[in-house]
């Protein structure tokens, strides 16, 4: 098959003569059309064309084509000689059916492409099997113009089809038990000109219009009227094409309509309908309708658009040709055109086809068919590979195949027309050959430099230069000479290849010199590795710009990043603070820049007051409160709240740290946090009472006024505020109780006497503080106190309860005192035995001989220290030698008398039995089991001096 090259004004191809017999006139015409195409901007074709080869040229050399039908695996071509040819997609003949004796008018495949139906002017309809010898012929004796097989013809035993012709009847055939049964679906509105069957829906056209019938429901669906002013169907046939199961495309004369069949939800899965009214069945909407400027010789879907085969009348006929019903037949017709249009009649592409003998053909001599592949995939104007639709344009002597242009077709067409950027974009999609990619890229880069489109050229460099370091450096210096280096810098590679450091420095300085590229400078500084270049030359180029009146924040941030790279963190912090970057707090901690924040308090506060206050409080030894407060006050009202939260946090940490600002804090609390003002007034001693009172009075803060008046000594005025403004008796009683002033109680009573309700409340709240009887006696006669009886009952009840509680508490107190005294006495009678480790064993034996439980023994006194001297001045009360715990064990009593353990043991033997008895009698303070236990003890260790003194006293 030879390709046909499409131009705006035509398609270069064969004429009706042999290729080697092209006349000089045709060559001149082609040259004229090519020149016209160069003068005007061309639209890219949507389709590419080629003539069908194989057996087709031979078949049509002795016959002429009349109709065509396309299945998924083959093509059927009907001729005026009555023959049906089965072809493959290359045009090679596979089978031939000499089915008719006159021109074949219609062909139809079933969905499986196992049967082919044909109708002819000889009045016959033939349905033939393509793979068996099965063949059925039906005679009607009138020319038959249309046939449509049931898509399920091969699968169902009913073998249904419809056909019609000049007889004006649409016959519905189906196979029954005893043969075929025909049924007239419609008649009486002129010949049947076209018919098509999709799923269960049958559509046909007659002189009146288009009708749709539901074969599954045996019900007519709709009628679509024939367009007004359209040529007679005998001269210009209507064309019906199903786009899918619900969309029917109708092309008639110059009119195009698209009908949408809405399948009702009551329809079953097998196509049958549930019982219901007619209005509940399938309905049809016309979703698109428009008029064309040409006659329609064929129509087919093209994704979400349409392909229309247009017949253009001869120029000599003028406007009469379009308004009349007679297309040209005088040998002056123009080339047929293929239009790709949207449903809104927007022209997407137009191609003229130089078919053989087009000058002599009528509109009805052309037909168009397409491949309705079920697996076709269309989206965004492109088909999946291998699923592209094919369109067959048939004329009596030609079959032209049209199919969508692919990516390489698109790219070659763009390059031919100088649209390099579009060609490159198409190549970047990854569908072009590598050689094509290199060619497009090189030509595009040269073109952009010539056109001074430097930014686009720079963006293209990574794709062209790739890993060539020398190539990159050459282009960098070339862009620098053109003063266009800033556009190339963002695309410069940092590795694979890595360029010289001077190249990178040159690029950064080029970005810094123009404010328009400061964003790119910041991006590059952040993204390039720090070791790629030296930051000092770049910093030196930027720093002078800071002295300019207007400097972009982006340039400041880029300079700060360069300072970080150069480890000048304090300068970087200053710029980050001015720019109020949220990560500055992490930056401070990371580089220990706490001392540097002294001059940037306001900026940090405005950025994040919580973090800033915490930082200032934590490092208040470096940044004093005066430094912070002075900056915040200087900043004005915008930082007044920040001043409050700083001073509040400072006060919570150390109430004396900012004492000189407590007067200021009173006003700040009154403005921003009134509920915390009273706790502050109670905690602080460093504010002026008069100023604080004035602030509270101005803002009507009553509790705070009461507190300040109380601190000022104006207790009566404070009490008046509580009684007259707060009306809170409990608060008044509490206030008076804290003052410890009896006169104030009298003042409280006097201020309440003219308020009966306040008197009642006073009676309720003074139990335990003031004698209720005294209040009752002061109440004027005749004063009516609300709920007086209930309140008096409550007062009496509370008084009794209080009296009972006090008596119980006193009894418990006395009992606890006696128990503690007895315990103290017993503990005081015990001795403490102190010894070193060497004497421990010997002391244990000595103590066991006296009384094991009569004193407390410390197992070791090596680490102990005698903290108080005994009454003997640190000497044994028997031998008067000094006491040394390291040398000898000692015994100490709670009366502060101490003895060497040997002296005490020797002296204790002189005590008589009656002394022991006296000591035992001294336990008469005890009672119960403890006294009995003490009485059963062996002779107890007692202080010798105290015992003898007590004995002498008792004898005296």
């Amino acid at each position: 098959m030879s390709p046909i090259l499409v131009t705006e004004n035509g398609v270069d191809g064969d004429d009706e003569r042999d290729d080697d017999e092209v006349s000089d006139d045709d060559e001149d015409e082609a040259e004229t059309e090519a020149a016209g195409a160069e003068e005007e901007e061309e639209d890219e074709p949507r389709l590419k064309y080629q003539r069908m080869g194989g057996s087709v040229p031979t078949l049509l050399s002795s016959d002429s084509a009349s109709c065509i039908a396309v299945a998924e695996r083959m093509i059927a071509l009907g001729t005026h000689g009555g023959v049906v040819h089965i072809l493959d997609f290359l045009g090679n003949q596979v089978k031939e059916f000499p089915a008719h004796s006159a021109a074949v008018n219609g062909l139809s495949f079933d969905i499986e492409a196992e049967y082919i139906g044909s109708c002819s002017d000889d009045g016959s309809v033939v349905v033939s099997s393509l793979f068996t010898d099965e063949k059925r012929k039906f005679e009607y004796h009138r020319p038959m113009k249309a046939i449509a097989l049931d898509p399920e013809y091969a699968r169902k035993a009913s073998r249904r089809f419809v056909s019609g012709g000049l007889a004006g009847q649409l016959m519905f055939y189906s196979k029954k038990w005893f043969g075929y049964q025909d049924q007239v679906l419609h008649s009486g509105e002129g010949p049947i000109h076209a018919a098509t069957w999709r799923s269960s829906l049958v559509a046909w056209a007659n002189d009146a219009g288009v009708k749709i019938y539901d074969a599954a429901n045996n019900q007519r669906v709709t009628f679509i009227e024939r367009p007004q002013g359209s040529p007679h169907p005998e001269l210009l046939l209507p064309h019906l094409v199903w786009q899918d199961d619900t969309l029917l495309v109708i092309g008639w004369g110059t009119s195009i309509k698209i009908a949408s069949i809405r399948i009702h939800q009551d329809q079953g899965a097998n196509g049958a309908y549930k019982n219901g009214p007619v209005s509940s069945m399938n309905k049809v909407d016309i979703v698109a309708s428009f008029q064309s400027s040409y006659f329609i010789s064929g129509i087919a879907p093209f994704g979400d658009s349409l392909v229309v085969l247009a017949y253009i009348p001869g120029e000599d006929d003028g406007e009469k040709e379009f308004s009349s019903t007679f297309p040209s037949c005088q040998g002056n017709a123009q080339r047929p055109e293929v239009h790709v249009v949207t449903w809104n009649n927007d022209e997407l592409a137009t191609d003229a086809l130089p078919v053989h003998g087009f000058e002599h053909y009528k509109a009805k001599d052309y037909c168009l068919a397409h491949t309705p592949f079920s697996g076709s995939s269309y989206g965004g104007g492109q088909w999946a590979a291998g699923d592209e639709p094919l369109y067959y344009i048939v004329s009596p002597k030609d079959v032209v195949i049209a199919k969508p242009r692919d990516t390489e077709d698109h790219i070659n067409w763009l390059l031919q027309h100088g649209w390099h950027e579009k060609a490159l974009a198409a190549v970047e999609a990854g569908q072009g050959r590598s050689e094509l990619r290199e060619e497009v890229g090189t030509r595009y880069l040269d073109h952009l430099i010539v056109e001074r489109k430097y930014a686009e050229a720079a963006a293209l460099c990574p794709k062209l230069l790739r890993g060539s370091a020398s190539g990159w450096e050459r282009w960098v210096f070339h862009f620098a000479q053109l003063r266009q280096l800033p556009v190339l810098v963002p695309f410069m590679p940092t590795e694979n290849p890595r360029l010289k450091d001077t190249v990178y420095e040159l690029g950064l300085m080029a970005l810094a010199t123009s404010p328009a590229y400061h964003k790119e400078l910041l991006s590059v500084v952040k993204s390039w590795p720090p070791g790629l270049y030296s930051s000092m030359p770049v910093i030196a180029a930027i720093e002078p710009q800071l002295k300019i009146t207007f400097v972009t924040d982006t340039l400041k941030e880029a300079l700060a990043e360069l300072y970080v790279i150069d480890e000048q963190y304090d300068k970087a912090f200053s710029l980050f603070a001015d720019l109020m970057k949220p990560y500055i707090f992490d930056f401070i901690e990371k580089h220990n820049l706490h001392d540097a924040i002294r001059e940037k308090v306001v900026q940090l506060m405005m950025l994040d007051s919580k973090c800033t206050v915490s930082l200032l409080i934590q490092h208040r030894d470096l940044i004093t409160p005066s430094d912070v407060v002075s900056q915040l006050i200087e900043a004005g009202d915008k930082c007044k709240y920040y001043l409050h939260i700083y001073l509040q946090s400072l006060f919570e940490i150390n109430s004396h740290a900012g004492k000189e600002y407590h007067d200021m804090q009173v006003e700040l609390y009154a403005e921003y946090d009134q509920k915390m003002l009273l706790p502050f007034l109670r905690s602080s001693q460093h504010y002026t009472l008069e100023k604080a009172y004035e602030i509270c009075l101005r803002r009507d803060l009553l509790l705070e006024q009461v507190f300040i008046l109380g601190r000022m000594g104006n207790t009566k005025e404070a009490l008046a505020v509580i009684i007259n403004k707060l009306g809170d008796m409990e608060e008044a009683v509490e206030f008076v109780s804290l003052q410890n002033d009896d006169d104030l109680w009298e003042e409280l009573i006097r201020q309440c006497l003219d308020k009966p309700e306040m008197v009642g409340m006073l009676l309720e709240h003074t139990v335990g503080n003031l004698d209720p009887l005294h209040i009752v006696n002061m109440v004027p006669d005749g004063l009516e106190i609300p709920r007086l009886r209930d309140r008096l009952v409550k007062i009496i009840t509370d008084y009794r309860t209080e009296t009972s509680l006090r008596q119980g508490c006193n009894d418990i107190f006395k009992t606890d005192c006696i128990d503690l005294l007895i315990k103290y006495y017993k503990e005081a009678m015990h001795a403490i035995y102190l010894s070193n480790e060497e004497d421990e064993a010997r002391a244990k034996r000595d103590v066991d001989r006296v009384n094991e439980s009569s004193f407390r023994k410390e197992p070791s006194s090596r680490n102990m220290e005698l903290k108080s001297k005994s009454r003997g001045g640190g000497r044994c009360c028997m031998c008067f030698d000094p006491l040394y715990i390291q040398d000898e064990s000692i015994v100490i009593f709670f009366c502060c008398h101490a003895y060497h353990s040997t002296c005490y043991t020797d002296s204790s033997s002189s005590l008589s039995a009656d002394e022991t008895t006296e000591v035992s009698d001294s336990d008469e303070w005890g009672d119960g089991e403890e006294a009995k236990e003490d009485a059963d003890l062996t002779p107890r260790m007692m202080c010798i001096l105290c015992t003898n003194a007590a004995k002498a006293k008792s004898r005296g």
Side-chain angles (χ1 to χ4, degrees):
M1 292 181 288
S2 57
I4 301 177
L5 301 179
V6 181
T7 64
E8 182 179 0
N9 296 320
V11 181
D12 294 333
D14 300 335
D15 58 12
E16 58 184 342
R17 294 165 292 179
D18 294 338
D19 293 341
D20 52 357
E21 297 178 359
V22 179
S23 66
D24 295 338
D25 294 338
D26 291 339
E27 291 179 357
D28 295 340
E29 180 181 355
E31 291 177 358
T32 302
E33 292 175 354
E38 292 176 356
E39 294 176 356
E40 300 179 1
E41 183 180 353
E42 296 184 12
D43 292 330
E44 181 181 2
R46 294 297 183 96
L47 299 170
K48 59 182 178 180
Y49 305 87
Q50 60 184 132
R51 283 192 171 88
M52 180 176 282
S55 305
V56 172
T58 304
L59 295 175
L60 298 184
S61 63
S62 58
D63 204 346
S64 58
S66 60
C67 59
I68 191 172
V70 183
E72 192 165 348
R73 295 177 291 177
M74 62 191 70
I75 301 170
L77 182 66
T79 68
H80 285 275
V83 181
V84 177
H85 301 281
I86 305 300
L87 311 173
D88 61 16
F89 287 117
L90 297 178
N92 300 312
Q93 182 173 344
V94 177
K95 206 166 188 177
E96 178 180 293
F97 295 99
H100 305 281
S101 59
V104 179
N105 292 322
L107 296 169
S108 176
F109 282 104
D110 67 325
I111 197 170
E112 300 292 340
E114 294 184 9
Y115 289 86
I116 179 69
S118 60
C119 60
S120 173
D121 281 342
D122 63 3
S124 65
V125 173
V126 177
V127 180
S128 304
S129 172
L130 298 175
F131 305 103
T132 66
D133 295 333
E134 181 181 353
K135 179 179 179 181
R136 298 184 183 277
K137 187 171 184 179
F138 304 86
E139 295 286 350
Y140 294 98
H141 310 293
R142 292 290 301 275
M144 302 300 289
K145 298 295 184 179
I147 183 173
L149 298 185
D150 181 357
E152 305 290 333
Y153 187 92
R155 300 175 182 175
K156 294 182 179 180
S158 59
R159 297 288 199 255
R160 300 182 298 177
F161 68 91
V162 295
S163 64
L166 297 183
Q169 295 179 333
L170 181 69
M171 307 299 297
F172 184 90
Y173 290 87
S174 61
K175 187 177 182 181
K176 303 297 182 180
W177 286 100
F178 302 103
Y180 273 92
Q181 176 181 349
D182 56 351
Q183 174 187 354
V184 178
L185 287 185
H186 185 75
S187 63
E189 292 182 352
I192 307 300
H193 303 289
T196 182
W197 192 329
R198 178 72 175 250
S199 184
S200 64
L201 300 177
V202 180
W204 69 93
N206 55 26
D207 289 347
V210 177
K211 292 180 172 59
I212 302 176
Y213 177 79
D214 188 349
N217 191 46
N218 295 326
Q219 183 180 18
R220 187 177 300 171
V221 176
T222 191
F223 166 71
I224 301 172
E225 188 177 2
R226 169 185 168 184
Q228 295 182 357
S230 60
H232 192 275
E234 287 293 333
L235 301 175
L236 186 61
L237 296 175
H239 301 276
L240 309 178
V241 179
W242 288 101
Q243 180 161 334
D244 55 36
D245 290 346
T246 61
L247 286 177
L248 177 64
V249 181
I250 304 170
W252 198 330
T254 60
S255 172
I256 296 176
K257 293 183 179 180
I258 301 176
S260 174
I261 293 87
R262 290 182 293 162
I263 305 298
H264 194 269
Q265 61 183 0
D266 289 339
Q267 186 175 0
N270 59 357
Y273 284 80
K274 300 179 181 179
N275 294 330
V278 173
S279 61
S280 67
M281 301 306 177
N282 296 339
K283 297 181 179 180
V284 176
D285 297 321
I286 302 300
V287 296
S289 177
F290 57 88
Q291 292 290 129
S292 65
S293 59
Y294 43 78
F295 291 119
I296 298 169
S297 294
I299 193 167
F302 183 76
D304 53 3
S305 304
L306 298 172
V307 170
V308 182
L309 179 59
Y311 176 80
I312 309 299
E315 295 179 357
D316 295 341
D317 294 336
E319 295 295 331
K320 179 181 179 181
E321 188 64 45
F322 284 93
S323 60
S324 69
T325 59
F326 295 95
S328 174
C329 57
Q330 303 299 322
N332 58 355
Q334 299 184 29
R335 295 178 180 180
E337 295 179 353
V338 174
H339 292 253
V340 180
V341 299
T342 66
W343 287 12
N344 296 323
N345 198 24
D346 296 328
E347 291 278 351
L348 301 180
T350 301
D351 300 321
L353 303 179
V355 298
H356 297 304
F358 65 88
E359 302 92 344
H360 308 286
Y361 295 150
K362 305 176 184 178
K364 62 183 297 184
D365 292 328
Y366 297 101
C367 60
L368 171 67
H370 74 290
T371 53
F373 292 164
S374 59
S376 295
S377 174
Y378 177 82
Q382 295 293 330
W383 277 266
D387 284 343
E388 301 90 346
L390 299 177
Y391 300 90
Y392 297 87
I393 298 101
V394 177
S395 66
K397 293 295 181 179
D398 257 332
V399 178
V400 177
I401 303 174
K403 60 181 178 180
R405 296 168 62 86
D406 57 21
T407 304
E408 292 204 7
D409 294 326
H410 174 62
I411 293 171
N412 288 327
W413 186 86
L414 293 173
L415 288 176
Q416 291 172 6
H417 292 78
W419 293 332
H420 302 87
E421 64 276 12
K422 295 181 180 180
L424 181 63
V427 170
E428 289 301 314
Q431 299 177 358
R433 295 175 289 106
S434 58
E435 297 83 0
L436 188 61
R437 175 191 297 269
E438 183 177 354
E439 177 186 356
V440 170
T442 303
R443 291 173 60 179
Y444 187 25
L445 184 58
D446 293 338
H447 167 74
L448 292 176
I449 294 297
V450 172
E451 295 291 328
R452 298 186 178 182
K453 297 180 179 179
Y454 303 108
E456 297 181 37
L460 183 62
C461 284
K463 302 179 182 65
L464 297 180
L465 305 179
R466 298 186 180 181
S468 173
S470 59
W472 271 106
E473 292 172 359
R474 183 175 63 256
W475 277 103
V476 166
F477 288 110
H478 183 56
F479 271 77
Q481 291 174 352
L482 297 173
R483 297 184 179 180
Q484 299 296 326
L485 184 55
V487 300
L488 181 62
V489 174
F491 303 99
M492 291 170 58
T494 57
E495 58 180 2
N496 299 326
R498 178 168 177 170
L499 311 181
K500 297 177 181 179
D501 55 353
T502 54
V503 175
Y504 296 112
E505 294 165 11
L506 181 63
L508 292 174
M509 287 186 285
L511 293 175
T513 55
S514 175
Y517 293 99
H518 287 171
K519 289 185 178 180
E520 286 75 7
L521 173 64
L522 176 60
S523 175
V524 168
V525 169
K526 287 183 176 181
S527 60
W528 281 2
L532 202 63
Y533 56 92
S534 174
S535 58
M536 283 305 301
V538 186
I539 292 174
I542 297 176
E543 282 181 337
Q545 298 186 43
L546 297 180
K547 301 177 182 179
I548 303 175
T549 304
F550 175 76
V551 180
T552 63
D553 290 344
T554 309
L555 182 61
K556 291 182 180 180
E557 186 176 357
L559 179 58
E561 295 290 346
L562 290 170
Y563 280 142
V564 173
I565 294 174
D566 201 46
E567 298 183 357
Q568 300 184 46
Y569 301 119
D570 53 344
K571 293 184 178 180
F573 164 77
S574 179
L575 291 174
F576 284 144
D578 291 339
L579 296 171
M580 299 180 66
K581 294 299 179 181
Y583 50 78
I584 192 171
F585 297 98
D586 295 332
F587 186 79
I588 293 171
E589 296 296 334
K590 181 178 180 181
H591 301 291
N592 193 23
L593 299 173
H594 303 103
D595 187 56
I597 67 178
R598 179 181 289 105
E599 303 300 328
K600 300 295 180 181
V601 172
V602 174
Q603 292 88 336
L604 296 178
M605 279 289 192
M606 296 180 68
L607 179 60
D608 190 334
S609 59
K610 183 177 179 181
C611 291
T612 304
V613 169
S614 176
L615 198 62
L616 294 173
I617 295 299
Q618 184 180 358
H619 300 281
R620 59 185 180 276
D621 54 335
L622 296 175
I623 309 100
T624 62
S626 60
D627 293 334
V628 177
V629 173
S630 62
Q631 291 187 53
L632 295 178
I633 291 177
E634 186 179 353
D637 292 340
K638 65 179 181 180
C639 291
K640 195 172 181 180
Y641 175 72
Y642 302 138
L643 178 60
H644 163 65
I645 60 176
Y646 168 72
L647 291 176
Q648 181 183 23
S649 301
L650 183 64
F651 181 78
E652 292 173 354
I653 297 297
N654 185 349
S655 60
H656 302 289
K659 60 183 179 180
E660 63 271 25
Y661 305 112
H662 284 197
D663 284 334
M664 185 186 301
Q665 275 191 271
V666 173
E667 185 173 358
L668 293 173
Y669 272 115
E671 183 173 353
Y672 296 108
D673 196 357
Q674 294 182 356
K675 66 180 181 179
M676 293 301 296
L677 176 57
L678 185 58
F680 174 77
L681 294 173
R682 288 173 177 169
S683 303
S684 174
Q685 302 294 329
H686 305 293
Y687 58 89
T688 305
L689 295 175
E690 290 76 9
K691 292 182 179 180
Y693 179 71
E694 182 182 352
I695 293 171
C696 296
L697 189 63
R698 187 171 62 250
R699 294 184 178 271
D700 198 25
L701 302 175
L702 300 178
L703 289 176
E704 290 76 5
Q705 293 180 35
V706 171
F707 176 78
I708 296 174
L709 288 171
R711 177 169 282 187
M712 295 170 66
N714 298 335
T715 54
K716 291 184 180 181
E717 187 177 351
L719 184 60
V721 173
I722 298 174
I723 297 299
N724 298 324
K725 295 184 179 181
L726 287 175
D728 189 344
M729 181 55 63
E730 184 176 358
E731 178 70 22
V733 171
E734 181 181 357
F735 175 77
V736 174
S737 300
L738 293 175
Q739 304 305 318
N740 294 321
D741 186 354
D742 293 338
D743 293 339
L744 197 59
W745 284 109
E746 296 296 332
E747 179 66 22
L748 174 61
I749 296 172
R750 281 195 300 272
Q751 292 195 22
C752 293
L753 289 179
D754 58 344
K755 301 178 181 64
E757 181 63 30
M758 297 298 290
V759 174
M761 296 173 62
L762 181 60
L763 289 172
E764 291 180 357
H765 291 89
T766 56
V767 177
N769 297 307
L770 192 64
D771 186 2
L773 184 59
H774 177 65
I775 301 174
V776 174
N777 290 333
M778 294 184 66
V779 175
D781 294 338
L783 182 64
E784 184 176 348
I785 301 175
R787 300 185 293 111
L788 177 59
R789 184 182 65 179
D790 296 338
R791 286 169 169 165
L792 291 175
V793 170
K794 184 177 183 301
I795 291 171
I796 296 171
T797 303
D798 293 344
Y799 180 77
R800 289 176 179 174
T801 302
E802 182 181 359
T803 302
S804 176
L805 289 173
R806 287 182 178 179
Q807 182 63 39
C809 291
N810 288 333
D811 293 342
I812 295 172
F813 177 72
K814 291 177 181 179
T815 302
D816 289 343
C817 288
I818 293 172
D819 291 342
L820 292 173
L821 285 172
I822 293 172
K823 183 177 181 182
Y824 175 75
Y825 173 76
K826 290 180 179 180
E827 291 292 335
M829 294 177 65
H830 293 166
I832 297 178
Y833 180 79
L834 302 175
S835 66
N836 55 23
E837 291 182 354
E838 290 78 4
D839 296 337
E840 183 177 354
R842 181 172 59 82
K844 182 177 181 181
R845 291 193 299 271
D846 292 342
V847 172
D848 287 343
R849 287 198 305 268
V850 182
N851 186 358
E852 185 179 44
S853 63
S854 62
F855 59 87
R856 297 177 184 172
K857 175 169 69 70
E858 299 295 333
S860 175
S861 61
R862 174 168 298 179
N863 296 324
M864 295 182 59
E865 179 181 355
L866 191 58
K867 295 184 179 179
S868 62
K869 294 183 179 181
S870 65
R871 289 183 179 177
R875 296 177 180 271
C876 176
C877 292
M878 296 302 295
C879 67
F880 300 103
D881 291 335
L883 298 172
Y884 298 105
I885 300 176
Q886 291 82 358
D887 299 333
E888 188 177 359
S889 300
I890 64 174
V891 178
I892 301 176
F893 291 91
F894 278 89
C895 58
C896 295
H897 292 136
Y899 307 88
H900 291 114
S901 59
T902 55
C903 295
Y904 181 83
T905 303
D906 294 341
S907 300
S908 62
S909 60
S910 63
L911 294 175
S912 60
D914 55 359
E915 291 175 344
T916 305
T917 303
E918 292 176 2
V919 174
S920 300
D921 292 340
S922 66
D923 291 340
E924 64 188 16
W925 298 96
D927 57 354
E929 293 183 359
E930 293 183 0
K932 181 178 178 182
E933 181 181 353
D934 293 338
D936 294 338
L937 291 173
T938 55
R940 140 189 343 263
M941 291 183 68
M942 296 182 296
C943 178
I944 298 174
L945 293 181
C946 293
T947 302
N948 290 337
K951 179 179 178 182
K953 183 178 181 180
S954 62
R955 290 176 180 177

